[in-house]
Amino acid sequence: MTTALHTPSIQTDAPAAWRDLPPALAVPPGAGAVADEAGARAVGRGAAEGLFTGGAVLLAHASLTARRLGLTPPGRSPKLMDVLELFAFVRPAEFCAPSPTGLALALGREAPKTAPEQAAALREAAESLLKEMTDPAWPGREAAVTLAETLEKAGWAWAPRVLTALKSQPIRDRQYRGSGLDVWSRLTEWEDEAPRGEAGSAPVDSESARIRLAKLLEASGLDETRPTQSDYAAEAAFAFSPRNEEGRPRVLLAEAGTGTGKTLGYLAAASLWAERNQGAAWVSTYTRALQRQIDRESHAIWPDPEVRRVKAVVRKGRENYLCLLNLQEMVQGAQLGNGDLIGAALTARWVMHSRDGDMTGGDFPGWLPGLFAVAPAQQAGAANLVDRRGECVHAACPHYRMCFVEKTIRASRRADLVVANHALVMSQAAFDGARAARGIKGDSETAALKRVVFDEGHHLFDAADSAFSACLSGQEAAELRRWIRGPEGRGRRGRGLEQRLGDLVADSEAARQALTDAVRAAAQLPGEGASGRIAPPSGEVNPIGPIEIFLAAALVQLRARTSEAATYGGGEFGMECAVRPSTDPVIEAARGAARALAAVEAPLLALARHLEDILDDEAAELDGGARARIEGALRGLERRARMTLPGWRAMLAALEDGDAAPDPDFVDWLSAEVAFGRIHDVALRRHWIDPTIPLEAAVIAPAHGVLVTSATLSDPMADDPFDMARMRTGSARLAERPRTLKVESPFDYAANSRVIVVNDVARDDPRQIAAAMRELFLGAGGGGLGLFTAIRRLKAVYERLGPDLARAGIPLYAQHMDPLEVGGLVDVFRAEEDSCLLGTDAVRDGVDVPGRSLRILVFDRAPWPRPDLLHKARRETFGGRGYDDAIARGRVSQAFGRLIRRADDRGVFVMLDAASPTRLFAGLPPGAEVQRMGLVEAIETVGAFLSPS
């Protein structure tokens, strides 16, 4: 193994900010070199470790560098100067892939290929960023100086050089400059506006949609409209035509092959409808990557950034946005020595430049909290700074008027285009439906869902499955306890019900008593460390409280009815068994658990009623802030007391009557999460066999127009190709049959792609899989994506594959192995043209990598659906073997669609599973013909087809 080091020369004419920068160390996976301006010198592993742990050094992503050197992630040090942190300071809220290549591309330079080039690129990036701050026109200098001085006191490695660069231009003298950390006091406030009113019903005709599309393409710099794209836009207009009867929405199921340009196609119709009817068209996606893409595409509609900020809004769940109160508490703790002050300060700098405070897929650099070893509870990232547990105090928060969530909700009410995700749409629909069933007609997010486009529509079934299910587990119950009682461990941030509601109910004795009873009853719920008591490594089970007793009894039943391999970690997917017939201990424990949950539910319901009475009885006296707090508290109480807890009790009640027939609409089962031989959680679960029943009732039927679109909706093996799509979207039950549309991809797949099934590799032997992937990736010269159906096999292949590729100078990254979240890994993979990436479903669904960065895709085995209890029930209901085939066929087609993203892309799709039946490839576009061959021939084919010549 070698590493790359760029040793600077002395530049006597350079300002002190970047004079004598330390050497730049680049450590690609398994390889590297040391470079100075005269050339490069390679160093071995020992010398690289010495550089990393000894003197000052420039690098990109300290933790990832340490892992490649076989070292533990380092803490921050004045000697470890991570250029990514410098980028986060100089260019906050700007995109950068977390690698030397990513830095070079973000700064407008060519991508460095070799390790020496990467080392040199690191130094050049550092110099460029420091010089950037010396420009007299560089914005926000005063605020940057203030924060940099705070960072200097905190020991930030870059602070002296940053301050030198900043102070190269005049700085206003101030007696007291402050810390620069109090960003919550400097953000703009949101302002309420008059209600927009009901959207109109003016239609969008096909010809108008075609004309709008042509204008959007012209605004995007494209000269001509592709006929298939124009046809798609014209047909999409149907979903934006007025319905004639309640419960009969205009529904269009539209399959558009990759390259059709469906995003601008439906945006043409959607923007016209919003313009003509003064309403918001919603676009819902499954992945964050597509949300970002749609947001970018909206530039063609509204080129002016200020106009677009008003017209197009990205909406996610509350758990995606920075909570300013959480940030303030973290900053205050860090200032007192309990936390990562540098990380908090860099996050505070991002806050002032962020478009909308989105920390998960927005403009927050997700790699920032993981650059150095920081205790998980102290990391200034999404895990600690968003509102994950419903603890928001709403108008009682001192930052309520600056709150990113409140700003986004209000912005979506006046927007023309709301780009949401399936999870938000489904969860909100479930909540609003429950309120409507009780006769509540207050603010409803889904009331605005008159016109909805479900992009990535093939995921609609799975999104509904997740949204309309129930899970009573140790972790879920502990979350409920924490929501009610607040944090009970040392150093934990958060607020319980008493902190959030105490002053609101101070004048009502009955309400105070209900609050007290709820807090007391919640002590029966599992607390922190429940898994260690239910399934300790020692085997000495010690459950506390009736819920843990039930889960411990459930685990005994699980172990009795599953294989030993699954019980002790040999299985790939954990443990599960049918809940019936239940053992006597499970039945008895279920009674106690149900009583404990009822004891929590009753006072929460009483508290909700008292809050509703306050809204009614004191309507004339309540100010807007108090009303907002009560309404916010009611939303939280209703989700838990009227949805979650009744669902849990219903599952437990079903166990008591063992002779009663199970509900035919649901599947109930017990499960346990197992990893590395340890059980992390135990759960009782309930899912709809057909989750499109609640989907159709809550979302599809109430809408006026719905467009469900994807590159893989139809099934060519069925008599009616759209039968499965109608079933999996809920539209099969509509009174008015949905329209269907299939638009073929314009790409020449016969010329630009190859599909190979390798027929002489043993799919169950990780050594053979690793060897096959190695030779295929080498034959392609990199640019490879390896997809696995199990994490265990991914890890086994990664350990064998990495060193071999490194010797050829090809970096290898892997989900679950590298200290980067999926989005960061894909960003690096996209930036480094010859790198390779291993991943599972999350990578397959979230990859959008046009060009040579993805030129070969290798499946380790056919992606059959996991044969768990839920799937077995659905298979029996929806068509037996044909249902399995349709799901696997869709996954193959989706993966293939990742490979060819542009007309000039060339790519090879390889399946290392000789048993893969030809029918699984029937969904591939015309021209993509399957060839079966041995590995040697496949390697030769890949090399010849992907050769740059």
Side-chain angles (χ1 to χ4, degrees), residues 620-636:
E621 293 83 21
L622 283 176
D623 60 36
R627 177 173 293 278
R629 286 181 61 195
I630 292 174
E631 289 174 346
L634 280 171
R635 285 193 291 270

Side-chain angles (χ1 to χ4, degrees), residues 465-770:
D465 183 38
S466 177
F468 299 106
S469 61
C471 171
L472 171 56
S473 69
Q475 291 181 6
E476 292 288 332
E479 281 291 301
L480 178 60
R481 173 179 174 139
R482 192 177 190 281
W483 182 79
I484 295 172
R485 294 176 63 87
E488 297 172 283
R490 292 185 60 187
R492 299 294 299 275
R493 295 190 313 279
R495 295 160 291 280
L497 272 182
E498 283 186 315
Q499 290 175 282
R500 302 200 298 276
L501 301 179
D503 61 319
L504 287 175
V505 300
D507 297 332
S508 170
E509 182 177 346
R512 289 200 314 274
Q513 186 61 51
L515 179 58
T516 300
D517 291 345
V519 172
R520 183 183 300 115
Q524 295 294 298
L525 299 173
E528 295 293 333
S531 63
R533 295 186 292 274
I534 296 169
S538 65
E540 297 178 7
V541 180
N542 182 33
I544 299 176
I547 307 300
E548 291 187 18
I549 291 172
F550 167 74
L551 295 175
L555 181 57
V556 172
Q557 178 171 321
L558 270 165
R559 283 176 163 152
R561 296 179 183 175
T562 53
S563 67
E564 184 175 334
T567 302
Y568 295 102
E572 296 179 3
F573 305 112
M575 304 159 57
E576 67 170 27
C577 74
V579 72
R580 295 186 180 207
S582 302
T583 64
D584 289 341
V586 165
I587 294 172
E588 183 59 35
R591 295 191 185 102
R595 287 193 295 269
L597 294 177
V600 176
E601 181 183 332
L604 289 181
L605 288 172
L607 181 59
R609 288 192 293 269
H610 290 307
L611 291 176
E612 289 166 348
D613 290 342
I614 292 173
L615 282 178
D616 187 22
D617 299 341
E618 302 179 20
E621 293 83 21
L622 283 176
D623 60 36
R627 177 173 293 278
R629 286 181 61 195
I630 292 174
E631 289 174 346
L634 280 171
R635 285 193 291 270
L637 286 167
E638 286 179 357
R639 283 188 184 277
R640 292 160 178 83
R642 293 193 169 107
M643 295 175 68
T644 300
L645 283 165
W648 289 355
R649 288 198 302 106
M651 288 192 291
L652 293 168
L655 301 183
E656 294 187 43
D657 190 354
D659 296 329
D663 191 319
D665 289 332
F666 297 98
V667 177
D668 293 356
W669 77 98
L670 300 173
S671 70
E673 295 178 11
V674 181
F676 303 107
R678 288 201 58 182
I679 293 173
H680 292 275
D681 202 8
V682 181
L684 170 61
R685 300 178 180 274
R686 167 171 286 184
H687 283 239
W688 285 84
I689 291 179
D690 184 358
T692 68
I693 293 174
L695 167 66
E696 184 263 341
V699 182
I700 306 296
H704 289 209
V706 179
L707 168 60
V708 182
T709 189
S710 167
T712 53
L713 274 184
S714 67
D715 183 4
M717 298 293 286
D719 293 336
D720 182 336
F722 281 93
D723 260 355
M724 182 67 74
R726 280 187 282 267
M727 183 276 293
R728 287 177 68 84
T729 60
S731 60
R733 283 183 298 276
L734 292 173
E736 187 170 321
R737 187 177 177 87
R739 284 192 186 183
T740 59
L741 172 70
K742 183 178 175 72
V743 180
E744 296 290 355
S745 169
F747 296 158
D748 185 351
Y749 288 101
N752 292 346
S753 70
R754 295 291 182 268
V755 181
I756 299 171
V757 176
V758 176
N759 55 22
D760 59 355
V761 171
R763 69 175 193 175
D764 294 320
D765 186 344
R767 292 172 300 178
Q768 291 194 41
I769 296 294

Side-chain angles (χ1 to χ4, degrees), residues 755-763 768-769 771-773 775-776 856-862 908-916 921 930-942:
V755 181
I756 299 171
V757 176
V758 176
N759 55 22
D760 59 355
V761 171
R763 69 175 193 175
Q768 291 194 41
I769 296 294
M773 283 195 176
E775 297 305 322
L776 289 165
I856 180 169
L857 187 150
V858 184
F859 257 114
D860 77 320
R861 62 174 61 187
V908 181
F909 180 100
V910 182
M911 179 70 72
L912 297 178
D913 186 350
S916 301
F921 302 93
V930 179
Q931 303 175 67
R932 294 179 181 268
M933 61 185 69
L935 179 60
V936 172
E937 186 181 355
I939 295 165
E940 293 172 350
T941 301
V942 167

